[in-house]
Amino acid sequence: MRGGATVRVRGCALVIVCCLLVLVSCGTNPTGSSGLARITDLRVVETTLDSITLGWTAPSASGDALFYDARYLAASEMGTETEITEELWAIADTVAGEPPVSEAGTEESLVIGGLPMDFECFVAIRTVRGADGARSRISNTVTATPEGCWECSNPSLGIPNNDPAGVYDVIAFPDQLEIGEIQVYVNITHTYIGDLIVEVTSPGGTTVRLHSMSGGSADDIIGTYGLDLPVAGPGSLDDFIGELSQGNWTLWVSDNIWGDVGTLNEWCVGVWGSAP
């Protein structure tokens, strides 16, 4: 009797445990889901010289105080992965300026700007609930590269010391585009950039002064006007918008004070636009 009763009790206990497991499984998501729907249609809408525009549909989501968290990673950091995993997410670069979360079904967009030329990256996004930090699963991953037509010259020209005539170098730009955006990269080594004037002239004859004897005793002008270097003026890069890109672009560099010397190592013109 005692043995039989023991068996029956154990049998009932096993049934109870199984029932509890079923209830627990039915009552919670075994994946630990936050209840926030995953974005599945992240896409690249447009690329320019230094930006990527993303689009997606706002998912249905529960809870208040929701926001988006978008991140990107250079292709060189992806290893063999083609999707941004949780491990890669942790080291990815964050993005500023994500839009607020709209009603489900709303078309959302985000511009990631300030990217280097020819920078291939992988991008993903998720929804986060501010109240408790709960996060949706990572969206589908998209790849993009800021695009445009770039032409470069590597003249390695010595800049005559204290000679206002300066030096000129020409880039023959082969692509015919109506300019919608333009950047000019320069690599000039010089031990006193306050001596220098730098100007660029388009095939249409428009001249913009990029650098005008500023910077004092600082060394070198290396960077991209329209991205990380300010245009001194007179003129701005917007003056080229609407012009046609094909033809000779000219960079002029002059040293106007005696003492320090330098070299025009490289410069590039980058244009984004449409066929005229």
Side-chain angles (χ1 to χ4, degrees), residues 28-234:
T28 62
N29 188 324
T31 63
S33 172
S34 62
L36 302 179
R38 175 178 181 256
I39 295 166
T40 58
D41 66 341
L42 184 66
R43 56 197 179 275
V44 177
V45 176
E46 182 183 54
T47 60
T48 69
L49 285 173
D50 65 349
S51 71
I52 298 166
T53 301
L54 302 173
W56 68 93
T57 305
S60 58
S62 59
D64 298 322
L66 301 177
F67 62 90
Y68 291 118
D69 183 4
R71 303 192 183 189
Y72 66 92
L73 201 62
S76 59
E77 297 182 82
M78 290 290 294
T80 59
E81 297 288 349
T82 58
E83 298 281 327
I84 294 181
T85 62
E86 288 289 349
E87 291 77 14
L88 292 171
W89 180 269
I91 63 171
D93 292 303
T94 57
V95 178
E98 293 100 329
V101 178
S102 303
E103 294 295 324
T106 303
E107 290 301 307
E108 308 275 44
S109 65
L110 171 66
V111 177
I112 304 175
L115 300 173
M117 61 180 174
D118 299 327
F119 176 76
E120 182 184 4
C121 61
F122 287 63
V123 189
I125 191 169
R126 69 198 317 168
T127 308
V128 182
R129 187 164 56 222
D132 58 6
R135 306 179 300 173
S136 69
R137 291 166 54 210
I138 300 171
S139 73
N140 61 298
T141 299
V142 295
T143 61
T145 305
E147 292 180 349
C149 296
W150 285 91
E151 289 295 324
C152 296
S153 175
N154 300 270
S156 298
L157 273 175
I159 303 167
N161 188 21
N162 193 29
D163 182 357
V167 293
Y168 293 84
D169 190 58
V170 174
I171 288 176
F173 202 90
D175 301 287
Q176 185 70 302
L177 298 171
E178 182 177 327
I179 298 171
E181 182 183 352
I182 182 171
Q183 295 175 1
V184 180
Y185 169 80
V186 298
N187 183 322
I188 298 171
T189 50
H190 196 282
T191 51
Y192 202 106
I193 65 173
D195 293 357
L196 300 179
I197 296 174
V198 182
E199 293 182 348
V200 62
T201 301
S202 70
T206 300
T207 296
V208 173
R209 180 164 292 189
L210 302 175
H211 181 86
S212 189
M213 299 183 70
S214 61
S217 62
D219 292 344
D220 307 335
I221 306 173
I222 301 174
T224 304
Y225 291 96
L227 180 61
D228 55 6
L229 294 180
V231 174

